[in-house]
């Protein structure tokens, strides 16, 4: 190779003959450049591969590669969510382009359900988002919500709720700027991860969290408000029902989920507290009146929903009143086990075996023709204290004062936008409760604006949420929920600073109705409609 004509080489090198050392050096240089480029390209590929979206808002995490993070766009978490996510994305865009002051509210929950122990089923996820959308649309286009608009953010914490840190860090960063974050709703399970997410994430960032369906009294924090009645209140409604309807106080039995998760542990404790001594629920080794099983929710360790031992023991002692401390998903296999157990056979003239339980709504999986046949064949009466009784409210005559005033409008909107859903889609209560959680935040935003606050932030919303009062027929501060008119009780008011941190802080709904539902027959309770924080015999709450 003649380098004499290579003008780009220094003169002293131009006349040297290309030797072995030059060739080796040249190839070493080429290899280095190619290797560096490949390394950079591979590293860039791997980094981009980890993200689910080009804007890097959602990142693949864990063995299941769930897309964790916060986004306002309709990411396809699951094909069953495409319709409702698309509707929310369109409403988000309309809100940002409306010219109104726009705030963001995060819907914090799982967006996938791939394993049997997932925190939420696919149906519950979809129904929850549908309810949030109806509240968003109602706020953005309603006549009574002032000149503000709401944008919803999809905040995926993973199907086991454990990816909360990624979400809470991102939400804290969104409190300022355009469409500032003012609150989070959702937080679906009474679980240690949920409480930790508030204590270590949302709370320190002073972001109010309004849970739609939490009920365990262990879920307490000054920044955690609940739309659902507490477990204590649900069980109290059951206690009033059994007192008014002369339910058998003998031949009792309790079957409880043995998992150590917050919800079922709290429910076991409350059942014992409210019914134990009076109804003979005891762990006595000889005259044992309790049995346990492993519920469906939680890690896949062992086989869940095995009721054979518990049901055999229940029927062997001739139990007529059974307290079931478990989740909705565990009820169908419990009923199926009763149907297969010969010692549970009852004559048609015997008193029914009453199964007392609590729930957010009326589980559509339970209220099927198959489950109805099992209940009728075995002379079972399932009595549930619930936060929502959508089937009865739909069928109620006009003027029924036990039906929430806002429910009819909500149901009409649901049928309009989600009419393709099954007719019992509202039965589980999640659409109603997520609607009410966002309606509570929207009400607080409107009241802050009415008080002359031009730029509403998370502190303004938190202050308004805590100022509600049920007095004066909810003239101020009450939420017109589809599950009933309510406000929030701050149980820390009136306590000193030390006691405020040591004791439960409350923030549960006041005047929230708790209907008692019976299945397979619809029986009208002889007791008045239970309203949270209203003493028996009083009438301090407005019509629901």
């Amino acid at each position: 190779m003649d380098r004499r004509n290579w003008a780009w080489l220094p003169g002293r090198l131009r006349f040297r003959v290309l030797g072995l050392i030059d060739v080796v050096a040249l190839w070493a240089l080429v290899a280095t450049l190619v290797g560096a480029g490949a390394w950079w390209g591979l590293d860039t590929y791997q980094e981009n591969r980890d993200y689910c979206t080009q804007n890097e808002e959602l990142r693949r995490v864990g063995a299941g590669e769930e897309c964790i993070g916060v986004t306002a766009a309709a990411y396809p978490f699951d094909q069953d969510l495409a319709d409702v996510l698309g509707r929310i994305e369109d409403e988000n865009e309309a809100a940002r382009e409306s010219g109104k002051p726009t705030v963001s509210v995060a819907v914090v929950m799982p967006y996938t359900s791939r394993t049997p122990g997932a925190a939420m089923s696919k149906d519950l996820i979809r129904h929850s988002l549908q309810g949030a959308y109806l509240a968003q649309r109602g706020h953005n286009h309603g006549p009574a919500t002032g000149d503000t608009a709401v944008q919803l953010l999809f905040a995926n914490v993973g199907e086991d709720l454990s990816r909360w840190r990624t979400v809470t860090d991102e939400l804290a960063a969104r409190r300022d700027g355009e469409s500032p974050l003012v609150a989070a709703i959702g937080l679906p399970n009474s679980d240690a991860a949920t409480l930790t997410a508030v204590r270590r994430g949302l709370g320190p960032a002073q972001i109010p969290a309004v849970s739609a369906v939490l009920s365990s009294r262990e879920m307490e924090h000054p920044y955690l408000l609940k739309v659902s009645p507490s477990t204590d209140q649900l069980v109290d409604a059951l206690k009033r029902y059994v007192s008014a309807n002369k339910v058998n106080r003998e031949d009792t039995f309790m079957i409880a989920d043995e998992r150590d998760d917050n919800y079922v542990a709290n429910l076991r404790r409350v059942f014992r507290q409210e019914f134990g001594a009076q109804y003979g629920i005891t762990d006595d080794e000889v005259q044992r009146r309790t049995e346990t099983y492993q519920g469906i929710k939680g890690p896949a360790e062992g086989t869940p929903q095995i009721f054979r031992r518990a049901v055999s023991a229940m029927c062997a002692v001739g139990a007529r009143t059974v307290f079931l401390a478990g989740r909705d998903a565990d009820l169908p296999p419990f009923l199926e086990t009763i149907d297969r157990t010969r010692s549970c056979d009852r004559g048609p003239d015997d008193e029914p075996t009453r199964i007392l339980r609590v729930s957010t709504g009326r589980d559509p999986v339970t209220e099927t023709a198959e489950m109805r046949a099992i209940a009728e064949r075995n002379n079972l009466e399932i009595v549930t204290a619930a936060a929502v009784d959508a089937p009865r409210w739909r069928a109620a005559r006009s003027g029924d004062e036990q039906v929430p005033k806002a429910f009819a409008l909500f149901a009409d909107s649901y049928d309009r936008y989600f009419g393709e859903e099954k007719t019992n889609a509202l039965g589980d209560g999640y659409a109603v409760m997520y609607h009410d959680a966002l309606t509570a935040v929207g009400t607080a935003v409107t009241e802050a604006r009415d008080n002359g606050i031009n730029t509403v932030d998370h502190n303004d919303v938190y202050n308004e949420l805590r100022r509600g009062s049920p007095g004066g027929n909810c003239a101020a501060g009450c939420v017109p929920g589809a599950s009933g008119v309510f406000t929030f009780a701050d149980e820390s008011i009136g306590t000193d600073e030390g006691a405020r941190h040591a004791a439960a802080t409350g923030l549960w709904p006041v005047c929230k109705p708790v209907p008692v539902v019976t299945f397979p027959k619809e029986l009208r309770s002889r007791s008045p409609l239970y309203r949270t924080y209203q003493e028996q015999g009083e009438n301090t709450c407005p019509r629901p």
Side-chain angles (χ1 to χ4, degrees), residues 274-306:
E274 294 294 326
F275 290 101
Q278 189 175 4
Y279 282 75
I281 299 173
T282 173
D283 278 330
D284 185 278
E285 289 300 321
V286 178
Q287 297 182 341
R288 187 178 176 88
R289 288 282 174 175
T290 65
E291 281 293 347
T292 61
Y293 71 97
Q294 182 172 283
I296 188 65
K297 183 192 176 298
E301 298 175 359
T303 304
Q305 298 182 327
I306 301 298

Side-chain angles (χ1 to χ4, degrees), residues 194-256:
T194 297
L195 191 55
T196 304
V198 178
R199 284 177 172 170
R200 295 169 55 185
L202 298 174
Q206 297 183 323
I207 299 171
V210 183
S211 170
V213 296
L214 288 183
S215 61
S216 169
R217 282 293 307 204
E218 309 300 324
M219 307 301 288
E220 302 281 12
H221 188 274
Y223 276 85
L224 180 58
L225 299 94
K226 280 78 63 173
V227 172
S228 172
S230 69
T231 303
D232 302 61
Q233 293 163 337
L234 292 165
V235 173
D236 191 32
L238 273 183
K239 192 171 184 179
R240 292 189 191 181
Y241 175 90
V242 299
S243 296
N245 292 272
K246 299 180 180 178
V247 172
N248 188 0
R249 296 172 187 266
E250 300 176 352
D251 303 326
T252 56
F253 206 86
M254 184 169 80
I255 296 179

Side-chain angles (χ1 to χ4, degrees), residues 8 19 120 127 155 204 287 296 301 365 481:
W8 51 273
M120 297 177 74
H127 297 164
Q287 297 182 341
I296 188 65
E301 298 175 359
V365 178

Side-chain angles (χ1 to χ4, degrees), residues 467-529:
R467 285 177 181 155
S469 172
N473 288 323
C474 285
C478 282
V479 180
S483 62
V485 173
F486 66 94
T487 184
F488 294 102
D490 185 350
E491 295 174 349
S492 69
I493 293 177
T495 61
D496 60 43
E497 190 68 21
R500 190 172 302 149
H501 293 287
T505 53
L507 298 173
W508 295 91
V510 179
C511 290
K512 194 69 180 289
V514 183
V516 176
V517 179
T518 58
F519 178 82
K521 293 181 180 179
E522 292 273 359
L523 302 177
R524 196 74 171 184
S525 174
R526 295 184 178 89
S527 58
L529 177 65

Side-chain angles (χ1 to χ4, degrees), residues 42 47 130 132 229 245 313 331 442:
L42 181 61
E47 183 176 345
Q130 289 170 346
N245 292 272
L331 183 57

